[in-house]
Amino acid sequence: MRLSRFFLPILRETPKEAEIVSHRLMLRAGMMRQEAAGIYAFLPLGLRVLQKICNIVREEQNRSGAIELLMPTLQPADLWRESGRYEDYGKEMLRIKDRHAREMLYGPTNEEMITDIFRAYVRSYKDLPLNLYHIQWKFRDEVRPRFGLMRGREFLMKDAYSFDVDQAGAVHSYNKMFVAYLRTFARMGLQAIPMVADTGPIGGNLSHEFIILAQTGESEVYCHKEYLDFAVPDEGVNFDDIPGLQTTVDKWTSLYAATSEKHDAAAFEALPADAKVSARGIEVGHIFYFGTKYSEPMKAVVQGPDGVEKPVHMGSYGIGPSRLVAAIIEAHHDEAGIKWPDSVAPFHVAILNLKQGDGATDQASEKIYTALRGKGIDVLYHDLDERPGSKFATADLIGVPWQILIGPKGLANGQVELKKRADGSREMLAPEDAIARLS
RNA sequence: CGGGGCAUAGCGCAGCCUGGUAGCGCAUCUGCUUUGGGAGCAGAGGGUCGCAGGUUCAAAUCCUGCUGCCCCGACCA
């Protein structure tokens, strides 16, 4: 992508409404724009990151055996009357009437709808287990939205719903998601720690929040230090290996880890002094097992081998991709801007032509640009007529992992400079070598 | 929802107390010079001062009401 043909509205100064670093940097980097309290438009750069995140989420959901579908944002109120949650949800739910005065709502979550879909088609235990997910916008009319994408009212959520004949099956489904989540966050450069969680209005009795540690986190969390070094299962993990998955989950839940709501001060104090980690955390995922809470009132039943109909055991599993954009920035930034992990970077490499209009640098830049594109690499070519300093600042701000600096000085020796954004390291290379390095 | 604050050009702000020509920096446009860490000079464009009432000869400025947004707290993926 040539910057001259892209839409990247960089802000040199920070809009005053932005308090936390991810919010500031997203606005400055031209990733998003606020349209109302807690409601944002994703601009092209932000969308690229969001899509990368969604794709990782999708790959890991698929790998674990979950199946993607897409439910609507608007739902009929009647479904929610069946579960009893239409009244329970309160003002957080955005209620709407259509032209026929039918009561609708903008979905804050989808348990009722997925249960409705399930019960319409599934009759037999032979069709289970089943895990259906979608990635869709949600709306929760928070009293006080804040911190940009971190706590918006409209947010993108991946929500998966599992269906099993019995509790043992449901626990395995839960474990699959547990492991899929470990992998998902790790791939984004985040060390997420599963913590014992409150089940909240969704209900149930088996639940974990996946928390990443960050100074600007919204809640106090407490955990054992060893979690920070635990290895995440590799992509060869066998999701059908019931005891194997259980062993992994047991390991990841063996040590103390809790958010402030579930904090047990005595248990935490009992840990060795150097093992105690008390920090701020950002919730990036939440998984629940809630049994027959919805299947029973909504009559989502299957016949077992014995011919008896029983309500299915369900769980639901959320990840907030839009919040993750902010969370990743909180974990990966410095004074100059964002430092995207490769896996979610909006572009893999930025070419900075340090003397636009100069025959030699123009030619070298074009050549490298074409070569990288030919290899299918996401490259942003800064081809505007700006001074070097300005190009450096822009590239550092938007956080592209690699920068190729092409200037007259280097070219005089037949070299360009390759800079790694993460640690600022740089080296002079022949253009072909820089290209090879990035391939 | 309780408490606090803000609203003046795209962004950041001054002006308001003490009413009288709407200003500064950055950004934008034109030209020339410049080109390895947010360039210099010269010129230009851009604002119903959040909205609605009121006071006054006259309101960005004083008064009343409303709306939007931000922060702290309570609540949540």
Side-chain angles (χ1 to χ4, degrees), chain A residues 10 32 46 68 78 168 276 307 310 331 363 373 378:
Chain A
I10 296 282
M32 57 120 152
E68 186 170 12
D78 282 347
K276 279 186 269 198
K310 283 184 190 152
Q363 195 183 10
R373 284 212 311 163
D378 267 341

PDB file of all heavy atoms in Angstrom, chain A residues 10 32 46 68 78 168 276 307 310 331 363 373 378:
ATOM      1  N   ILE A  10      -3.169  10.755  10.691  1.00  0.00           N
ATOM      2  CA  ILE A  10      -2.317  10.857  11.882  1.00  0.00           C
ATOM      3  C   ILE A  10      -2.608  12.165  12.617  1.00  0.00           C
ATOM      4  O   ILE A  10      -2.769  13.204  11.994  1.00  0.00           O
ATOM      5  CB  ILE A  10      -0.840  10.876  11.447  1.00  0.00           C
ATOM      6  CG1 ILE A  10      -0.452   9.563  10.778  1.00  0.00           C
ATOM      7  CG2 ILE A  10       0.069  11.200  12.619  1.00  0.00           C
ATOM      8  CD1 ILE A  10      -0.196   8.446  11.715  1.00  0.00           C
ATOM      9  N   MET A  32      -8.925   4.874  14.749  1.00  0.00           N
ATOM     10  CA  MET A  32     -10.354   4.908  15.030  1.00  0.00           C
ATOM     11  C   MET A  32     -10.808   6.323  15.355  1.00  0.00           C
ATOM     12  O   MET A  32     -10.007   7.215  15.562  1.00  0.00           O
ATOM     13  CB  MET A  32     -10.676   3.972  16.182  1.00  0.00           C
ATOM     14  CG  MET A  32      -9.887   4.293  17.434  1.00  0.00           C
ATOM     15  SD  MET A  32     -10.964   4.687  18.792  1.00  0.00           S
ATOM     16  CE  MET A  32     -10.021   4.225  20.221  1.00  0.00           C
ATOM     17  N   GLY A  46      -6.928   0.774  11.845  1.00  0.00           N
ATOM     18  CA  GLY A  46      -7.498   0.039  12.968  1.00  0.00           C
ATOM     19  C   GLY A  46      -8.219  -1.210  12.496  1.00  0.00           C
ATOM     20  O   GLY A  46      -8.148  -2.267  13.130  1.00  0.00           O
ATOM     21  N   GLU A  68     -18.180 -21.797  12.791  1.00  0.00           N
ATOM     22  CA  GLU A  68     -18.624 -20.412  12.714  1.00  0.00           C
ATOM     23  C   GLU A  68     -19.975 -20.262  12.023  1.00  0.00           C
ATOM     24  O   GLU A  68     -20.267 -20.927  11.035  1.00  0.00           O
ATOM     25  CB  GLU A  68     -17.581 -19.574  11.962  1.00  0.00           C
ATOM     26  CG  GLU A  68     -17.913 -18.080  11.985  1.00  0.00           C
ATOM     27  CD  GLU A  68     -16.791 -17.203  11.457  1.00  0.00           C
ATOM     28  OE1 GLU A  68     -15.831 -17.742  10.864  1.00  0.00           O
ATOM     29  OE2 GLU A  68     -16.873 -15.975  11.633  1.00  0.00           O
ATOM     30  N   ASP A  78     -39.067 -11.422  22.499  1.00  0.00           N
ATOM     31  CA  ASP A  78     -39.739 -12.626  22.981  1.00  0.00           C
ATOM     32  C   ASP A  78     -38.774 -13.742  23.366  1.00  0.00           C
ATOM     33  O   ASP A  78     -39.013 -14.475  24.323  1.00  0.00           O
ATOM     34  CB  ASP A  78     -40.728 -13.144  21.923  1.00  0.00           C
ATOM     35  CG  ASP A  78     -42.013 -12.316  21.933  1.00  0.00           C
ATOM     36  OD1 ASP A  78     -42.204 -11.549  22.906  1.00  0.00           O
ATOM     37  OD2 ASP A  78     -42.802 -12.428  20.977  1.00  0.00           O
ATOM     38  N   ALA A 168     -20.163 -34.063  31.984  1.00  0.00           N
ATOM     39  CA  ALA A 168     -18.799 -34.500  31.655  1.00  0.00           C
ATOM     40  C   ALA A 168     -18.428 -34.031  30.255  1.00  0.00           C
ATOM     41  O   ALA A 168     -17.319 -33.541  30.016  1.00  0.00           O
ATOM     42  CB  ALA A 168     -18.705 -36.018  31.742  1.00  0.00           C
ATOM     43  N   LYS A 276       4.235 -13.935  44.820  1.00  0.00           N
ATOM     44  CA  LYS A 276       3.024 -13.114  44.813  1.00  0.00           C
ATOM     45  C   LYS A 276       3.068 -12.024  43.756  1.00  0.00           C
ATOM     46  O   LYS A 276       3.958 -11.181  43.757  1.00  0.00           O
ATOM     47  CB  LYS A 276       2.826 -12.471  46.194  1.00  0.00           C
ATOM     48  CG  LYS A 276       2.194 -13.418  47.190  1.00  0.00           C
ATOM     49  CD  LYS A 276       1.877 -12.721  48.489  1.00  0.00           C
ATOM     50  CE  LYS A 276       3.057 -12.848  49.445  1.00  0.00           C
ATOM     51  NZ  LYS A 276       2.677 -12.576  50.840  1.00  0.00           N
ATOM     52  N   GLY A 307     -33.534 -43.112  24.749  1.00  0.00           N
ATOM     53  CA  GLY A 307     -34.785 -42.575  24.230  1.00  0.00           C
ATOM     54  C   GLY A 307     -35.395 -41.474  25.065  1.00  0.00           C
ATOM     55  O   GLY A 307     -36.414 -40.903  24.699  1.00  0.00           O
ATOM     56  N   LYS A 310     -33.532 -35.033  27.265  1.00  0.00           N
ATOM     57  CA  LYS A 310     -32.917 -34.279  28.366  1.00  0.00           C
ATOM     58  C   LYS A 310     -32.419 -32.938  27.858  1.00  0.00           C
ATOM     59  O   LYS A 310     -31.938 -32.844  26.721  1.00  0.00           O
ATOM     60  CB  LYS A 310     -31.725 -35.060  28.923  1.00  0.00           C
ATOM     61  CG  LYS A 310     -32.102 -36.219  29.806  1.00  0.00           C
ATOM     62  CD  LYS A 310     -30.832 -36.842  30.380  1.00  0.00           C
ATOM     63  CE  LYS A 310     -31.156 -38.161  31.068  1.00  0.00           C
ATOM     64  NZ  LYS A 310     -30.002 -39.083  31.050  1.00  0.00           N
ATOM     65  N   ALA A 331       0.000  -3.467  26.126  1.00  0.00           N
ATOM     66  CA  ALA A 331       1.119  -4.363  26.411  1.00  0.00           C
ATOM     67  C   ALA A 331       2.328  -4.115  25.515  1.00  0.00           C
ATOM     68  O   ALA A 331       3.435  -4.545  25.829  1.00  0.00           O
ATOM     69  CB  ALA A 331       0.670  -5.821  26.274  1.00  0.00           C
ATOM     70  N   GLN A 363      13.854   5.176  -6.926  1.00  0.00           N
ATOM     71  CA  GLN A 363      14.004   3.932  -7.688  1.00  0.00           C
ATOM     72  C   GLN A 363      14.208   2.740  -6.757  1.00  0.00           C
ATOM     73  O   GLN A 363      13.568   1.702  -6.909  1.00  0.00           O
ATOM     74  CB  GLN A 363      15.191   4.072  -8.646  1.00  0.00           C
ATOM     75  CG  GLN A 363      15.212   2.998  -9.717  1.00  0.00           C
ATOM     76  CD  GLN A 363      16.440   3.122 -10.608  1.00  0.00           C
ATOM     77  OE1 GLN A 363      17.362   3.889 -10.328  1.00  0.00           O
ATOM     78  NE2 GLN A 363      16.456   2.361 -11.694  1.00  0.00           N
ATOM     79  N   ARG A 373       5.928  -6.766  -2.243  1.00  0.00           N
ATOM     80  CA  ARG A 373       4.530  -7.053  -2.600  1.00  0.00           C
ATOM     81  C   ARG A 373       4.434  -8.348  -3.375  1.00  0.00           C
ATOM     82  O   ARG A 373       3.491  -9.121  -3.219  1.00  0.00           O
ATOM     83  CB  ARG A 373       3.951  -5.902  -3.423  1.00  0.00           C
ATOM     84  CG  ARG A 373       3.619  -4.688  -2.566  1.00  0.00           C
ATOM     85  CD  ARG A 373       2.436  -3.958  -3.120  1.00  0.00           C
ATOM     86  NE  ARG A 373       2.579  -3.710  -4.547  1.00  0.00           N
ATOM     87  CZ  ARG A 373       1.562  -3.381  -5.326  1.00  0.00           C
ATOM     88  NH1 ARG A 373       0.348  -3.275  -4.841  1.00  0.00           N
ATOM     89  NH2 ARG A 373       1.771  -3.149  -6.610  1.00  0.00           N
ATOM     90  N   ASP A 378       2.643  -7.717   3.467  1.00  0.00           N
ATOM     91  CA  ASP A 378       1.910  -6.471   3.699  1.00  0.00           C
ATOM     92  C   ASP A 378       2.913  -5.350   3.901  1.00  0.00           C
ATOM     93  O   ASP A 378       3.578  -5.277   4.936  1.00  0.00           O
ATOM     94  CB  ASP A 378       1.061  -6.594   4.974  1.00  0.00           C
ATOM     95  CG  ASP A 378      -0.339  -7.063   4.674  1.00  0.00           C
ATOM     96  OD1 ASP A 378      -0.774  -6.951   3.506  1.00  0.00           O
ATOM     97  OD2 ASP A 378      -0.999  -7.540   5.610  1.00  0.00           O
TER      98      ASP A 378
END
